[in-house]
């Protein structure tokens, strides 16, 4: 992201955002509510447009529309707080649909790949069920499998555990930790500081639309520089 600016009306939500995420890197974005974290994520797969600046994925500027945009959205996997699964499709169909429609994968191949992914996230035995028959933690793991099925270049997670009951948070974070270790490029908005310490290569702290600090997790959590980061950490730790 180069000098990215974004307004909602009079509200300046992204202020000159410069951010590079390298291949294989895990970047955790933290900051107070309303600081622009979700908007930042959403601009990366063009769920939000930007006013000025530039966003490149794997060296290519974001396409505006059409097939190229569908392809970009396949390359940039996104997992939301509210799992956003297709309610009337089975778990398996949720995972195979994108690869068949967007990637042009054959049904058999898509199914085999989907079952591998469902096994990887620990819900293969739920493949025939509808999302509503699963727990929140299981649904979120299906959402991760669905994004992975598109073979994305980068995965964005926007508070993936915030809507979960406490006992289900770790089963999702464990999947994300495994994904991080496997070398996936990830941008993760989360309040789970344990995950940030364990999995992040870098912590990006946002406040009021700005990136205020960027540090390795150890340095950030033990020696935050800015008063804003100190204040935020004081409230949540
Ligand atoms: P965060 O994810 O850090 O909580 P957001 O990116 O969701 O922050 O929001 C940043 C600011 O932009 C907030 O003040 C929010 O109310 C505002 N905002 C977000 N989406 C919209 C929208 N679609 N229209 C108008 N304002 C929005
Ligand atoms: Mg948000």
């Amino acid at each position: 992201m180069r000098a990215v600016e974004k307004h909602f009306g009079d509200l300046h939500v992204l202020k000159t955002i410069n951010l590079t995420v390298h291949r294989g890197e895990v970047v955790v974005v933290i900051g107070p509510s309303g600081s622009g974290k979700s908007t930042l994520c959403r601009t990366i797969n063009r769920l939000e447009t930007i006013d000025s600046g530039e966003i490149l994925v794997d060296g290519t500027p974001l396409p505006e529309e059409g097939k190229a945009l569908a392809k970009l959205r396949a390359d940039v996997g996104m997992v939301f707080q509210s799992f956003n699964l297709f309610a009337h499709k089975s778990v398996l169909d949720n995972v195979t649909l994108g690869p068949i429609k967007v990637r042009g994968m054959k049904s058999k191949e898509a199914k085999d790949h989907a079952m591998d992914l469902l096994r990887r996230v620990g819900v293969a035995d739920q493949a025939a069920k509808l999302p509503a028959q699963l727990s929140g933690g299981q649904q979120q793991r299906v959402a991760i499998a669905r994004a992975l099925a598109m073979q994305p270049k980068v995965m964005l997670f926007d508070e993936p555990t915030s809507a979960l009951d406490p006992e289900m948070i770790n089963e999702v974070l464990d999947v994300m930790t495994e994904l991080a270790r496997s070398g996936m490029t990830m941008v993760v908005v989360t309040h789970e500081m344990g995950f940030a310490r364990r999995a992040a290569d870098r912590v990006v702290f946002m406040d009021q639309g700005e990136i205020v600090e960027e540090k390795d997790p150890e340095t950030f959590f033990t020696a935050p520089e800015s008063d804003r980061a100190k204040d935020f950490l004081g409230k949540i730790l």
Side-chain angles (χ1 to χ4, degrees), residues 173-214:
L173 292 178
D174 286 349
V175 166
M176 292 167 60
T177 304
E178 186 271 326
L179 197 58
R181 294 207 174 117
S182 79
M184 176 60 75
T185 309
M186 294 164 64
V187 176
V188 183
V189 177
T190 186
H191 298 297
E192 295 294 331
M193 298 302 138
F195 173 82
R197 279 180 175 239
R198 186 161 76 236
D201 295 304
R202 191 149 44 105
V203 172
V204 167
F205 173 70
M206 285 186 78
D207 189 30
Q208 295 179 26
E210 287 176 295
I211 292 179
V212 180
E213 274 189 55
E214 265 186 83

Side-chain angles (χ1 to χ4, degrees), residues 79-189:
V79 174
F80 303 87
Q81 181 175 335
S82 55
F83 329 120
N84 291 18
L85 295 171
F86 306 116
H88 303 292
K89 301 253 181 237
S90 71
V91 162
L92 182 62
D93 287 347
N94 263 277
V95 182
T96 58
L97 215 62
I100 292 170
K101 287 214 160 154
V102 180
R103 295 283 193 212
M105 208 184 261
K106 295 269 187 298
S107 168
K108 167 82 170 70
E109 191 191 353
K111 269 187 191 160
D112 289 347
H113 186 219
M115 286 309 299
D116 285 344
L117 288 168
L118 291 172
R119 257 188 294 281
R120 183 172 172 191
V121 302
V123 291
D125 51 340
Q126 311 293 317
K129 291 188 183 168
L130 290 174
Q133 295 173 286
L134 273 58
S135 73
Q138 289 173 324
Q139 288 187 54
Q140 195 58 305
R141 287 182 283 151
V142 173
I144 293 171
R146 182 177 63 173
L148 289 176
M150 301 297 268
Q151 297 170 313
K153 290 177 174 166
V154 52
M155 286 278 285
L156 311 176
F157 294 84
D158 190 4
E159 299 200 30
T161 60
S162 296
L164 296 176
D165 290 333
E167 74 271 23
M168 291 171 190
I169 291 176
N170 280 331
E171 64 191 42
V172 172
L173 292 178
D174 286 349
V175 166
M176 292 167 60
T177 304
E178 186 271 326
L179 197 58
R181 294 207 174 117
S182 79
M184 176 60 75
T185 309
M186 294 164 64
V187 176
V188 183
V189 177

Side-chain angles (χ1 to χ4, degrees), residues 4-33:
V4 169
E5 305 285 347
K6 169 78 181 170
H7 294 76
F8 286 118
D10 290 340
L11 189 67
H12 199 173
V13 272
L14 295 179
K15 299 175 183 162
T16 321
I17 298 291
N18 290 295
L19 178 65
T20 301
V21 179
H22 297 100
R23 187 168 294 134
E25 199 179 18
V26 177
V27 171
V28 166
V29 180
I30 67 172
S33 179

